[in-house]
Amino acid sequence: VVDNTPVSWSGAKINEVVVGGLDEEAEEVRKENDGAESITVTMTVTGKAEHEAEHSQEIKRKAAGQRLEYLEIEVEKNVDGDVSKIDVTKKLLEIVIPFDFTGKENVSVYRYHDGSVDTLAERQNADEEYIEIDKTGGFITLFVRKFSTYAVPMITGEIKRFLRDDGMIRVS
């Protein structure tokens, strides 16, 4: 049985953020764990100050002086009570982040993973990861499979307040 827990956020309900693909990833985990009774895949997003974010200095050098907001994004699997981290998912996961594009052009997202800083842009990288820009709706959508420290130029609205005040979002 794959546990398809509805999307929920610890501490508050936030309708502006969407995460997709966790059910598909849970199905991949199920295929690897034939006979498991319960499988849950969970994503946790934690806002971090620059001095708290792992490898923020490496990201900052790559971002060439941009003012950044840091997010620690982790994915975990729980197979019959055995919890472990997933650093690289089999499927692309979709994360929609509210974003204020005022005065910004050529927006990129930065990620430190496995010893290097990657720049995610609208063009797919070697791992088929990319971002989509929706200036009309005010969103950046990440299509990613590697999880660790991310940095975006700015987060707006309720999600910014939530990350600043409460520090963590957890999605199942």
Side-chain angles (χ1 to χ4, degrees), residues 92 111 118-132 143-145:
L92 285 176
R111 174 190 59 218
D118 299 315
T119 303
L120 299 173
E122 291 183 271
R123 186 177 194 173
Q124 284 188 358
N125 66 17
D127 294 312
E128 300 176 345
E129 298 172 301
Y130 63 99
I131 64 174
E132 286 184 353
F143 294 90
V144 293
R145 61 173 37 111

Side-chain angles (χ1 to χ4, degrees), residues 112-159:
Y112 184 92
H113 184 83
D114 201 22
S116 67
V117 178
D118 299 315
T119 303
L120 299 173
E122 291 183 271
R123 186 177 194 173
Q124 284 188 358
N125 66 17
D127 294 312
E128 300 176 345
E129 298 172 301
Y130 63 99
I131 64 174
E132 286 184 353
I133 303 295
D134 178 357
K135 288 185 177 182
T136 304
F139 295 100
I140 296 177
T141 303
L142 311 178
F143 294 90
V144 293
R145 61 173 37 111
K146 294 180 180 177
F147 295 94
S148 49
T149 304
Y150 282 76
V152 295
M154 179 183 210
I155 302 173
T156 61
E158 185 67 13
I159 186 71

Side-chain angles (χ1 to χ4, degrees), residues 61-156:
R61 278 192 293 277
K62 180 86 170 200
Q66 290 186 56
R67 187 170 161 230
L68 301 170
E69 299 277 348
Y70 294 89
L71 304 173
E72 297 286 342
I73 303 178
E74 294 183 347
V75 178
E76 290 183 333
K77 62 182 175 181
N78 181 333
V79 179
D80 292 337
D82 182 22
V83 178
S84 59
K85 195 172 173 182
I86 302 175
D87 290 325
V88 180
T89 58
K90 300 232 184 288
K91 299 289 187 177
L92 285 176
L93 300 186
E94 177 182 357
I95 306 166
V96 181
I97 302 173
F99 190 82
D100 180 1
F101 289 94
T102 305
K104 294 189 173 42
E105 296 294 327
N106 303 318
V107 173
S108 295
V109 174
Y110 303 93
R111 174 190 59 218
Y112 184 92
H113 184 83
D114 201 22
S116 67
V117 178
D118 299 315
T119 303
L120 299 173
E122 291 183 271
R123 186 177 194 173
Q124 284 188 358
N125 66 17
D127 294 312
E128 300 176 345
E129 298 172 301
Y130 63 99
I131 64 174
E132 286 184 353
I133 303 295
D134 178 357
K135 288 185 177 182
T136 304
F139 295 100
I140 296 177
T141 303
L142 311 178
F143 294 90
V144 293
R145 61 173 37 111
K146 294 180 180 177
F147 295 94
S148 49
T149 304
Y150 282 76
V152 295
M154 179 183 210
I155 302 173
T156 61

Side-chain angles (χ1 to χ4, degrees), residues 36-50:
E37 293 184 23
S38 175
I39 294 172
T40 305
V41 174
T42 304
M43 177 183 290
T44 303
V45 180
T46 306
K48 298 280 187 174
E50 181 179 315

